[in-house]
Amino acid sequence: MAMSILKLRNLSAFKSAANSARIGVSSRGFSKLAEGTDITSAAPGVSLQKARSWDEGVSSKFSTTPLSDIFKGKKVVIFGLPGAYTGVCSQQHVPSYKNHIDKFKAKGIDSVICVSVNDPFAINGWAEKLGAKDAIEFYGDFDGKFHKSLGLDKDLSAALLGPRSERWSAYVEDGKVKAVNVEEAPSDFKVTGAEVILGQI
């Protein structure tokens, strides 16, 4: 009973955070990410951090990956989520892409990418726990600059998460956005799953 109450309170806090954030700037209304957007131009000078262990980070001198290396000349499906180890992200969002990876490959997709406002070391441990690293490429957006540049940042302080991102997905071809979906609230999982984006490719 106590655990059920705790889960209910956590879910309520997450939804409260989403609702309170809507009172401010609506990410859908102000998002720079839309069909036809060049994602690398929309986030100039921004790079992401490939998921890795701390030792791998040290050996790579904490290198980052420019967006051009991720998107240019490639067909990419990318999805963003509020955070590693959180409920919907772990139980529904990542598994939906992991379970459909063969369908993406059949459609000629070069890479399926998950990005979150986390450091690359935390997201690496999470990806390993989910058993998804062989199917999905995971990247951290440790300072949130990528999501801020695209107008997809979200304050989830009410859920003790601080500055995070919307829950979203996009199909990007040679850097150009061909389709994009953003949930009404980050606790929702209605339009950003693998099945939806597969139908848009």
Side-chain angles (χ1 to χ4, degrees):
M1 176 66 75
M3 183 61 71
S4 297
I5 293 173
L6 180 59
K7 287 181 178 179
L8 181 60
R9 286 177 177 171
N10 288 342
L11 180 60
S12 296
F14 198 48
K15 288 183 176 179
S16 174
N19 290 333
S20 64
R22 283 201 202 113
I23 296 173
V25 176
S26 168
S27 67
R28 279 200 167 195
F30 292 85
S31 173
K32 298 178 184 177
L33 197 63
E35 291 184 24
T37 300
D38 186 315
I39 200 166
T40 57
S41 297
V46 173
S47 60
L48 295 175
Q49 310 85 45
K50 194 171 183 66
R52 71 200 98 165
S53 68
W54 177 260
D55 287 343
E56 289 170 331
V58 172
S59 64
S60 67
K61 298 181 180 179
F62 302 107
S63 63
T64 61
T65 306
L67 296 184
S68 57
D69 289 358
I70 297 173
F71 295 106
K72 288 301 183 182
K74 301 175 183 178
K75 293 181 179 180
V76 176
V77 167
I78 183 170
F79 63 102
L81 40 79
Y85 297 101
T86 56
V88 175
C89 305
S90 300
Q91 297 163 14
Q92 294 178 270
H93 209 169
V94 171
S96 77
Y97 286 86
K98 176 187 173 184
N99 295 338
H100 287 83
I101 195 64
D102 289 340
K103 293 180 181 179
F104 285 113
K105 290 180 178 179
K107 284 180 173 283
I109 298 302
D110 295 300
S111 56
V112 174
I113 291 172
C114 173
V115 61
S116 175
V117 182
N118 285 106
D119 65 76
F121 317 113
I123 204 171
N124 182 69
W126 179 57
E128 289 182 344
K129 182 177 180 180
L130 294 176
K133 282 192 71 176
D134 290 340
I136 301 168
E137 294 180 24
F138 288 82
Y139 285 87
D141 177 22
F142 82 95
D143 56 4
K145 285 184 179 179
F146 176 66
H147 286 95
K148 287 179 183 176
S149 296
L150 301 179
L152 290 170
D153 53 312
K154 171 80 80 172
D155 185 358
L156 294 177
S157 295
L160 306 182
L161 294 173
R164 296 284 178 152
S165 78
E166 297 281 3
R167 188 179 304 282
W168 61 281
S169 65
Y171 168 48
V172 184
E173 190 172 312
D174 192 27
K176 294 291 181 67
V177 176
K178 298 297 184 179
V180 61
N181 310 290
V182 184
E183 299 287 358
E184 288 290 341
S187 57
D188 289 345
F189 185 63
K190 300 175 181 177
V191 300
T192 58
E195 296 89 346
V196 175
I197 203 78
L198 275 166
Q200 296 171 317
I201 297 172

